[in-house]
Amino acid sequence: MKEHPPFQLANNTITDPHILAVITRLDSTRTFPAQGSREAMITDPAAFAEHGFSIHPAQGELIYLLCRAMRATRVVDFATSIGMSALYFAAAMKETGGQVIGAELVPEKAEVARRNLAEAGLADYADIRSGDARHTLKDLGGPVDFVLIDGWPGNSGHSLAYEVLQVVAPQLRVGGYVLNDNAEPDFISYIRNPANSFISVSLPIKGSTELAVKVF
Ligand SMILES: C[S@@+](CC[C@H](N)C(=O)[O-])C[C@H]1O[C@@H](n2cnc3c(N)ncnc32)[C@H](O)[C@@H]1O
């Protein structure tokens, strides 16, 4: 996993000191598992409960800015892990009066995420669902404005990113965004095929970050 410049408070997106304190703590305490652990990641995500694998600040700020720009009120965080991406989403939801729906398979991680959101004063703006996202995200309660697909190695023919996209894309409104970390090949070929109702760009953030918008 690539290192990135330390988190800086140079931008003017999130200014609440409680939220920034939690983001800064999570960013400065990242841990990375040993190389070659992909097999174990597929078979036992719980073995990685100590590792956040969190999005980088530039991705978080982009999420925050776009959610504010579109006045998003129902957004999805797959997956939540210990809550870094959920913090950026929930910070935006605090301003728009909305809610982030998070999905996390490992219960200990979901609990840590809830604690981090509470410490940031954002508990009221987040619904973190424990369990397999392919089930917990089936009913999002209405049209969704923004989805993060920050996945995990899958154990079937398709990546988890692709499979979760199939669950959430029908619930995304036209004009809604999908942001993807990890660039899973089957996900990328699906989202870049205009017949699938998306147009998409690859942004040079953390290697490559795919940003797509649903156009019909
Ligand atoms: C890359 S991390 C997410 C990081 C998070 N977005 C952040 O910024 O902190 C991927 C997470 O997916 C979780 N996961 C793996 N399989 C899952 C599944 N089927 N449903 C929900 N979460 C899953 C893992 O436990 C891991 O915490």
Side-chain angles (χ1 to χ4, degrees):
M1 220 156 288
K2 278 192 198 138
E3 293 292 335
H4 66 90
F7 180 73
Q8 290 174 350
L9 307 183
N11 296 323
N12 71 346
T13 53
I14 298 171
T15 52
D16 182 321
H18 301 288
I19 304 173
L20 290 174
V22 181
I23 290 175
T24 306
R25 174 172 58 73
L26 294 188
D27 196 59
S28 64
T29 54
R30 286 173 192 264
T31 56
F32 301 97
Q35 292 291 326
S37 43
R38 190 185 153 80
E39 266 315 302
M41 289 173 95
I42 293 169
T43 54
D44 189 11
F48 296 85
E50 299 304 315
H51 304 288
F53 302 103
S54 295
I55 59 164
H56 286 185
Q59 295 172 308
E61 296 207 325
L62 181 62
I63 286 170
Y64 179 84
L65 184 143
L66 289 173
C67 285
R68 292 291 307 275
M70 72 195 302
R71 298 187 178 143
T73 55
R74 184 180 286 112
V75 297
V76 172
D77 180 45
F78 166 69
T80 295
S81 187
I82 58 173
M84 181 73 99
S85 45
L87 283 160
Y88 284 98
F89 273 126
M93 295 305 99
K94 185 178 179 185
E95 302 302 324
T96 63
Q99 194 177 47
V100 55
I101 300 166
E104 174 51 51
L105 183 68
V106 178
E108 296 86 345
K109 283 187 162 182
E111 207 35 59
V112 172
R114 291 186 194 105
R115 271 209 309 275
N116 286 329
L117 286 156
E119 187 182 326
L122 293 171
D124 289 348
Y125 309 98
D127 164 17
I128 306 303
R129 301 179 179 179
S130 297
D132 188 327
R134 290 167 290 192
H135 302 295
T136 61
L137 298 182
K138 270 186 184 156
D139 181 3
L140 296 167
V144 170
D145 298 306
F146 199 118
V147 178
L148 171 68
I149 302 278
D150 182 16
W152 192 259
N155 57 4
S156 71
H158 279 299
S159 68
L160 204 50
Y162 175 92
E163 291 184 344
V164 173
L165 181 67
Q166 302 312 309
V167 174
V168 296
Q171 303 178 74
L172 186 70
R173 72 166 169 87
V174 172
Y177 288 107
V178 178
L179 189 84
N180 168 250
D181 193 22
N182 304 326
E184 292 86 348
D186 57 349
F187 175 95
I188 294 292
S189 62
Y190 183 91
I191 208 117
R192 287 185 185 170
N193 179 350
N196 293 326
S197 81
F198 289 98
I199 55 173
S200 190
V201 289
S202 173
L203 304 173
I205 303 174
K206 195 187 167 201
S208 154
T209 296
E210 191 82 5
L211 179 65
V213 62
K214 186 168 175 176
V215 288
F216 63 87

